[in-house]
Amino acid sequence: MARAEQPERRFDTPKGLGRGRGDDNDRFGRFTELVARGMGTPWFLFGLSLFVAVWMLWNTLAPADWQFDRADYGFIALTLVLSLQASYAAPLILLAQNRQDDRDRVQIEQDRQRAERNLADTEYLAREVVALRLAMKDLASRDFIRAELRSLLEEMDKRDESESQEEDDHARTRS
């Protein structure tokens, strides 16, 4: 007989933690959020108010044999049902809030890390801009090049004048 294949044991997971339990916790967390969202709507308040009104009308106006929660005793069953609903609603809402707080905490941490990366990138770019500005100081500016060209043109004009004067002097000496 072949042995049933056992799942691979992992040593980085504590003993007793199965794969499905994380999904169960998440499923329960989603359920608590669904309940909290549902209870926070106007439709829930309207439905609950309608339920209480129908309950009270039925137990007040119906024949005595059909009444199950008499108004003479102060609607004891209705009070019990509403207390039970409140006793389950409050912890479910708190669980949903804790879950939202955990998500907010993770989001804040991610935002902080993103801000740190942006700050580091900005500082790097600022250093690069400063390095470029320092490198630009070593480069010749447009005004510097124009001044150099003017001085070269002046030297060339002086040289042309001196050459033309030498040619004139040389031509005079020949004649």
Side-chain angles (χ1 to χ4, degrees):
M1 277 187 131
R3 240 173 52 184
E5 198 172 308
Q6 291 185 351
E8 181 182 330
R9 282 190 159 182
R10 295 187 50 125
F11 295 113
D12 60 346
T13 305
K15 198 172 187 181
L17 290 181
R19 288 185 180 177
R21 290 192 179 186
D23 289 340
D24 290 342
N25 287 338
D26 195 43
R27 189 176 302 137
F28 184 70
R30 286 192 305 262
F31 170 73
T32 61
E33 288 179 344
L34 181 70
V35 169
R37 273 193 211 104
M39 289 183 154
T41 62
W43 289 109
F44 176 78
L45 292 176
F46 176 74
L48 186 62
S49 300
L50 185 65
F51 172 78
V52 169
V54 168
W55 183 294
M56 292 173 75
L57 286 173
W58 178 267
N59 288 298
T60 304
L61 301 177
D65 293 342
W66 291 4
Q67 293 178 4
F68 53 87
D69 189 22
R70 307 244 346 205
D72 301 340
Y73 301 121
F75 300 111
I76 294 173
L78 177 63
T79 304
L80 179 65
V81 167
L82 291 177
S83 296
L84 186 65
Q85 183 266 335
S87 68
Y88 277 99
L92 289 175
I93 290 170
L94 288 174
L95 286 171
Q97 286 177 341
N98 288 341
R99 188 173 153 94
Q100 183 62 44
D101 287 344
D102 291 342
R103 275 197 305 265
D104 290 344
R105 196 174 303 112
V106 168
Q107 183 66 39
I108 288 169
E109 179 62 25
Q110 288 174 349
D111 289 346
R112 187 188 62 75
Q113 290 172 354
R114 191 176 304 119
E116 285 178 357
R117 284 192 307 267
N118 287 342
L119 180 62
D121 290 346
T122 303
E123 288 174 349
Y124 170 76
L125 290 174
R127 286 191 301 272
E128 288 296 314
V129 167
V130 167
L132 285 174
R133 284 185 177 169
L134 289 174
M136 289 296 289
K137 284 186 178 180
D138 292 340
L139 294 177
S141 67
R142 184 175 55 200
D143 295 334
F144 175 76
I145 292 173
R146 283 184 182 161
E148 288 295 312
L149 286 174
R150 280 191 197 109
S151 66
L152 286 173
L153 283 174
E154 288 173 3
E155 285 180 29
M156 288 174 63
D157 286 343
K158 287 179 185 177
R159 190 180 297 161
D160 285 344
E161 286 177 13
S162 66
E163 285 179 5
S164 65
Q165 229 177 15
E166 284 179 12
E167 285 178 8
D168 286 344
D169 288 342
H170 189 45
R172 281 189 213 145
T173 55
R174 275 195 233 168
S175 26

